[in-house]
């Protein structure tokens, strides 16, 4: 059980990849912090995990950048600095550029890119001080290519690729 007692914070944990990561890490005995905007769905995920007593749920909209440091402080109060941060929160889009409202483009960048950066910038200094920790960023093949109906989504994933290649190489 490689992840037994590891502290893992998963954003976007109320559905999809994040939900299933929660189940897998719970099976391994990890201490989890599950975050998303949907508290009701987070509660459902926690209840469906094999070890719900080792899980804390914290409501978080990663696009509410001012909220991120406060939520991270609650993460530390629950289990300490995470051993692993899984940046999974994200939204998608399927629409031609000409038909996509600018506010949709902005929202996608705020959630998928800037939200991930904000959460990482909250956690990274503590990981550097303790000289341990892993940061996982869920991206997509869209981080490598673009298609007519996924332009803003692809742009947000391209941005993640650029920033986190730098973080991985320079440790900060």
């Amino acid at each position: 059980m490689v992840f037994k007692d590891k502290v893992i914070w998963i954003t976007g944990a109320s559905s999809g990849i994040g939900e299933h990561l929660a189940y897998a890490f719970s099976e391994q005995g990890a201490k989890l912090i599950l975050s998303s905007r949907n508290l009701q769905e987070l509660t459902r995920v926690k209840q469906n995990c094999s070890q719900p007593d080792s899980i804390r749920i914290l409501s978080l909209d990663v696009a509410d950048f001012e909220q991120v440091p406060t939520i991270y402080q609650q993460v530390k109060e629950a289990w300490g600095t995470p051993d692993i941060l899984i940046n999974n929160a994200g939204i998608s889009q399927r629409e031609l550029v000409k038909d996509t409202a600018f506010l949709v483009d902005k929202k996608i960048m705020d959630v998928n890119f800037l939200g991930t950066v904000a959460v990482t910038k909250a956690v990274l200094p503590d990981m550097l001080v303790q000289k341990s920790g892993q940061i996982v960023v869920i991206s997509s093949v869209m981080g490598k290519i673009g298609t007519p109906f996924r332009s803003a989504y692809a742009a947000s994933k391209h941005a993640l690729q650029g920033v986190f290649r730098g973080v991985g190489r320079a440790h900060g």
Side-chain angles (χ1 to χ4, degrees):
M1 300 221 322
V2 176
F3 297 102
K4 181 157 179 52
D5 295 324
K6 295 287 184 184
V7 176
I8 304 172
W9 184 15
I10 305 171
T11 66
S14 62
S15 64
I17 293 169
E19 175 180 355
H20 291 280
L21 286 171
Y23 299 148
F25 286 125
S26 182
E27 282 286 324
Q28 290 281 316
K31 296 176 181 175
L32 300 176
I33 298 97
L34 305 180
S35 294
S36 83
R37 294 173 295 159
N38 191 328
L39 196 54
Q40 182 177 352
E41 286 300 301
L42 284 175
T43 301
R44 178 190 59 79
V45 171
K46 177 181 176 177
Q47 291 169 344
N48 289 331
C49 283
S50 62
Q51 298 185 43
D53 291 341
S54 294
I55 298 172
R56 302 293 182 265
I57 55 176
L58 294 171
S59 180
L60 172 65
D61 179 350
V62 297
D64 183 352
F65 313 125
E66 300 293 320
Q67 178 191 33
V68 170
T70 301
I71 296 300
Y72 177 53
Q73 187 59 42
Q74 293 174 27
V75 167
K76 290 196 307 185
E77 289 168 4
W79 299 116
T81 300
D83 297 299
I84 303 170
L85 166 62
I86 300 178
N87 286 300
N88 176 65
I91 56 176
S92 191
Q93 158 254 1
R94 287 176 180 79
E95 194 171 44
L96 290 171
V97 172
K98 70 178 184 67
D99 298 328
T100 304
F102 175 75
L103 289 178
V104 172
D105 296 324
K106 182 180 181 317
K107 180 69 173 179
I108 289 169
M109 292 304 287
D110 284 351
V111 173
N112 294 3
F113 175 59
L114 294 172
T116 297
V117 171
V119 172
T120 299
K121 284 184 177 251
V123 176
L124 184 59
D126 287 338
M127 287 182 168
L128 292 172
V129 165
Q130 68 184 24
K131 296 184 180 182
S132 68
Q134 295 177 313
I135 297 171
V136 177
V137 179
I138 304 299
S139 185
S140 163
V141 71
M142 288 290 126
K144 302 283 186 188
I145 63 170
T147 63
F149 285 91
R150 307 291 299 278
S151 60
Y153 179 78
S156 71
K157 297 303 181 173
H158 275 79
L160 285 175
Q161 295 287 330
V163 166
F164 285 92
R165 279 194 192 110
V167 170
R169 291 191 172 101
H171 302 289

